[in-house]
Every structure is written in structure tokens, then in C-alpha cells.
Amino acid sequence: MEDHALERVPEGERHGWLKISWNTVGLITTLVILFFGAVVCFVAGVKIALLAGVVAFVIGGSLGWAMARVAVETGYSSTLITRQYGLGLRGSALASVIFGFLIVGFLAIENGLLYRGFLFFLNLGDGWTARIALYGAMTLAWVLLTAFGFAVVTRTSSLMIVGFLIVLAWMMFVVISGVAEAPAEALLFGSQLEPAVLSGMGIHSDADKFIFAVNLLVGPACALALNTADFGRYGKSAGHVAAAAMIAIFFQSLLMMLVGGLLMKSAAPAMVNYFTEVAGMAPEAAERQVLQSPDSIAATFMVFGGPVGFLLMILAQAKAQVLNTYSSSLCIANLFDALFSWRPGRIAFVVLANVIALVMLYGEILHFVEEWIKLLGVLLSALATTIILDYYIISRRGGAGVLEPVNWAGVIAILGAVLCAHWLVRPYQPIEVLTSIACVALIYLPLRLTVLRPRERS
């Protein structure tokens, strides 16, 4: 059950790229990622969305490739790596707060998505009886499936991914076969939003569409780069782990994005008709509902696929929730050990992660989580870049093996990069991840090589 949460994974427990890929790909074959793809395609059009997907793949893939060697050589999870590379022993708590809060936030949001999907399919009312029964059953399932470590998590993810891809292919056939457009026109459609709507989003040109698409797609790609360590610490070699990271980032940035766009474009007329005739919405409200939230993707599957679509929703979300719970437990384990030297066992943090997710669902903090996720790419690219620079440059200049209480150069670099990328430089350079990476390099390396050099723990 402990699954080496606070120690190096032994060489005898290492695996090849396929086992690791079941987990990395499982994180992004979800309704939320399909929804992001639909939004990007509807705003930017497929051609611009694909170009943005390539950029997100290059950025996320580069970070994932660099993180792969760190994960294999250390054998540590992402937040544990920052103790030695980037933030120091107690400073690693910052990584746990950044990464852990985001992952637990996804756990909360996707719990809510599953809950609303159950209500939609079973035609239930939203009351405390339904909440206690459904959220209680989901939470128990995530805890039990995650408690027994990497082997059970991988087996669960692999079975659900195979089922998900089979059912998704069938859904694509059902939805797209009813479209009268020529294949090329159906595939390479342009922006689906009115100019007035785009203007309200601050989008006035193709360049604005590209920037919007990159900023939305690159966040999950950077998250996958860090998740590479959580699962890649079990890798046989850096090549195996890099392959698993690249496959997942390709799925997220290009394949799932395109599938989400095609599904919602093909299904939009029928869904508008459903919302007006069955749900009794006004036509304008029905059009907005089609792309309002990830619920729209779930509704599309269930309207078109019935029980099969409902199964798809469960397969998509359940495996992701198991993986989110797993990564969350590693983050929280490091947080409590780094700050309080408290090690009650990983299973305690599996339970705690799910409790926090449930609290988020019923407090105002959930709205904060949704805003926080907008910073996903900036925060995680800054954190990953700090680790990479420390490992590949600083450690080769006499800092190898140094474990400090707090690496203040890393803390300053991450906070400074976020401040610059998301607020100060954004009006002049709106692709925030690029600013974040550049700022970390400009801040961290000079500080770490001069006034804040590595110092051994006293």
C-alpha cells in the first residue's frame, strides 16, 4: 500500500513503456479533455487548432522528455524530486501545494461531472440522498482502487482505456455517420462562433485564435510532463518513460482535441434540438448550452448512445479519478512529511485527497479551483523548468546530491515567473508558458550560480 511514496522505487520493480503509458494516457482520455478540444476547435477552427496542438505537443513533450531521465535516475515522484532538484526539503511543500491542489481540483471537478452524468442518465433529482449515495460510492471506489498501489492502478487504467477507445470509436461512427457534409468539410471546419461572441472573448484575428488555443492546450500538456515522474519512476529507462510521456501528450494535444471538436460539431444540431424540445430551452440558450461545460460532452454521449454512451462516460472518468487520486496521495504525502515529518502512511493521504475533493464540491473554493486551473500551464511549466535546470545544469556544477531545507532560488524563480507570465508580460507576450519558461531560466540560473549557491544541510 505504501508504494514507495517517500522513497526510491527499487530497480527490481521497474517496467517498460507500455505499462507506464496505460497511466499517462489514462489521465487525458477524459470528457474534460474532449471538452477542451471542442472549445478550441469551435473558437479557432480545426486548422488553427491543429497548429496550436503541435505547439503544445512540442512544449509539453520537451518538458516530459527532460523529466523522464530525472524520474528514472532518482526513482522519485514529482514532488519528491523537488527536494533534491529545485526547491529543497521543506521548499518541496510549494510543489505539493501547486501540483497537489491542481490534481485534487481535477478530482473534485470530475467527481461533479460524473455526478451530473448519473443524474442526467437516471433522471434523478439533485438532493442529499442522491449526493450521499453517488458521491459516497464514487469516493469508496477511488480509495479502494488506488490504495493497493501502482500494479492495481495500472491494471484498472489499462482495462478502462481499452473499453473507452472501443466505445469512443463506436460513438464517433454513430455521430458522424449522420452528417451530410463532405468528409473534408466535416473534418477541417472553421470557427463556429459568431464574430460578436469572439470579440467578447477578446479574439479579433487568427493570431488571437491561435494564442487562445495554445494557452488552453498547453496546460494539460505541462501537467503530463510532471505526471511523467509520478508514473515514470517505475520506468526501466529514460527512453521508456519519455515514450510514455510523448504518447500521452500526443493523445491530449492532437488526437483527443480533434475528436472532441469533431464530435461536438457533428452533434451540435441534434443537441440544440434536444435542449429545445426535451429540456424546453429557448433556441439561444440551447445553442449556448452545447458548449457551456464538460457536461455537454457527457450529454452528447448519452443522448446519442444511450446506455453505451453512459458506459463511455464511466470508463472515461473513472480511470482518470483513480489516477488523480494516486498522484494526489503522493503530493500530500510529501507535503506533510516535508513540513511536519508526519508519515501516517500513503493510504491515509488517499482518503484525505478524496475528502478534500468533496469539500471543494460544496464550498466556494470550487470556484477558486476553476480559476486556479487557468494558471495550470504557467505554474507547472515553471516548476518543471526549475527541476530540469537544476538537474541538468546546477547539479553538474558542484550541486549534485545537495539537500537544503529551502532552495530559495527555486522559490523566487517560480513565483517570479508566474507573476511575469500571467500578469506583467501578458499584454505584450500572451503565450504565457513561453514567458514562464524564459523567466525561470533568467531568474533561477543567475541566482543559483551566484548568491544562492547550493549549501549542504546543517
Side-chain angles (χ1 to χ4, degrees), residues 127-184:
W128 280 106
T129 301
R131 293 178 184 182
I132 292 171
L134 292 175
Y135 283 126
M138 287 189 288
T139 299
L140 181 62
W142 313 153
V143 169
L144 291 177
L145 288 171
T146 310
F148 296 96
F150 182 85
V152 173
V153 169
T154 299
R155 194 174 303 118
T156 301
S157 183
S158 63
L159 292 173
M160 288 190 176
I161 286 175
V162 172
F164 171 81
L165 293 177
I166 291 171
V167 179
L168 182 62
W170 182 84
M171 282 295 302
M172 285 284 290
F173 172 77
V174 169
V175 174
I176 295 177
S177 62
V179 177
E181 296 173 312

Side-chain angles (χ1 to χ4, degrees), residues 210-232:
F210 173 75
I211 291 166
F212 172 88
V214 169
N215 283 333
L216 188 58
L217 293 173
V218 80
C222 291
L224 281 169
L226 281 173
N227 276 121
T228 294
D230 287 346
F231 301 108

Side-chain angles (χ1 to χ4, degrees), residues 100-112:
F101 192 78
L102 286 164
I103 297 297
V104 175
F106 273 120
L107 182 61
I109 289 170
E110 291 179 357
N111 266 346

Side-chain angles (χ1 to χ4, degrees), residues 113-137:
L113 177 59
L114 267 172
Y115 173 74
R116 291 189 290 272
F118 275 108
L119 295 185
F120 183 91
F121 183 74
L122 300 174
N123 196 25
L124 297 175
D126 179 18
W128 280 106
T129 301
R131 293 178 184 182
I132 292 171
L134 292 175
Y135 283 126

Side-chain angles (χ1 to χ4, degrees), residues 355-367:
V355 170
I356 295 171
L358 291 175
V359 171
M360 286 180 173
L361 279 166
Y362 291 102
E364 291 299 320
I365 196 170
L366 184 58
H367 301 294

Side-chain angles (χ1 to χ4, degrees), residues 19 48 97 109 194 201 306 314 318 320 346 379 393 414 423:
K19 271 201 170 182
I48 294 175
V97 170
I109 289 170
E194 297 293 330
M201 300 170 64
I314 294 175
R346 191 181 66 87
L379 286 162
I393 297 178
I414 290 170
W423 285 284

Side-chain angles (χ1 to χ4, degrees), residues 271-290:
M271 290 306 297
V272 169
N273 185 63
Y274 173 84
F275 287 130
T276 53
E277 294 190 1
V278 179
M281 292 184 179
E284 297 79 8
E287 290 177 2
R288 290 194 299 270
Q289 183 67 26
V290 169

